[in-house]
Amino acid sequence: MTTRGVLYIHSAPRALCPHVEWAVAGVLGVRINLDWIRQPAAPGHWRSELSWQGEPGAASKLASALRGWQLLRYEVTSEPCATAEGERYSSTPALGIFHAVTGIHGDILIPEDRLRAVLLRARNEGGDLESEIAKLLGKPWDDELEPFRYAGEGAPVRWLHQVV
């Protein structure tokens, strides 16, 4: 069983680009040579995109392989398949990593226990329910990444299919 997804490197310093390729190649098991273009939203940084195909769980492995590089902004998505839900990972230097399960149409699926915890916290601690739900949906990550996404319109995309 395979799934497909996209890796978006929204911004990386030039010196980090070969390390990103090496990490991605290690996860996908194939040589990676990304097309890097300048990231206008962050002078001195570069961006790239990669469509990939691999086993379910590859998105989490990609996100883990890139985690911890403080100057890197990225997103990894995977489509749902017969054996796994879809996933979305977003990472920024300021916020760290966000993970969400996604449905067949790309909607974020929030487990009921997480919703109950937010409701309980809002009731008992006087928290702001709207901002708590926004966090569950990844809004702070979307807000921070949006200028980097927009700057990448028209960027070339490389398609990669892993032979399994």
Side-chain angles (χ1 to χ4, degrees):
M1 186 60 57
T2 61
T3 187
R4 297 180 304 179
V6 181
L7 168 64
Y8 303 94
I9 304 297
H10 293 298
S11 73
R14 188 65 171 159
L16 196 54
C17 295
H19 300 283
V20 169
E21 291 180 6
W22 177 79
V24 172
V27 170
L28 297 178
V30 295
R31 184 174 165 86
I32 301 295
N33 204 3
L34 296 174
D35 293 324
W36 294 96
I37 60 171
R38 292 187 186 276
Q39 173 52 275
H45 286 234
W46 297 77
R47 61 169 285 108
S48 190
E49 297 179 14
L50 173 73
S51 291
W52 56 270
Q53 184 173 339
E55 294 188 17
S60 63
K61 291 177 183 174
L62 286 167
S64 294
L66 300 175
R67 185 179 185 174
W69 289 339
Q70 288 302 311
L71 299 175
L72 189 64
R73 287 178 183 85
Y74 66 91
E75 291 181 277
V76 184
T77 64
S78 70
E79 296 178 1
C81 64
T83 60
E85 299 285 356
E87 294 182 286
R88 174 181 156 212
Y89 292 87
S90 302
S91 182
T92 73
L95 297 172
I97 198 161
F98 167 78
H99 171 255
V101 174
T102 57
I104 193 165
H105 299 291
D107 296 324
I108 291 178
L109 307 176
I110 301 172
E112 64 183 80
D113 61 328
R114 292 185 71 194
L115 284 172
R116 284 190 178 112
V118 163
L119 289 170
L120 185 64
R121 194 166 39 250
R123 185 175 14 159
N124 293 343
E125 300 171 15
D128 178 24
L129 184 58
E130 186 176 347
S131 68
E132 290 292 330
I133 290 174
K135 287 179 199 171
L136 288 176
L137 294 171
K139 185 174 180 347
W141 286 264
D142 286 338
D143 290 346
E144 187 170 328
L145 289 172
E146 193 60 29
F148 297 91
R149 293 174 183 148
Y150 179 75
E153 284 187 5
V157 177
R158 175 168 301 208
W159 293 89
L160 175 70
H161 301 282
Q162 178 181 5
V163 178
V164 205

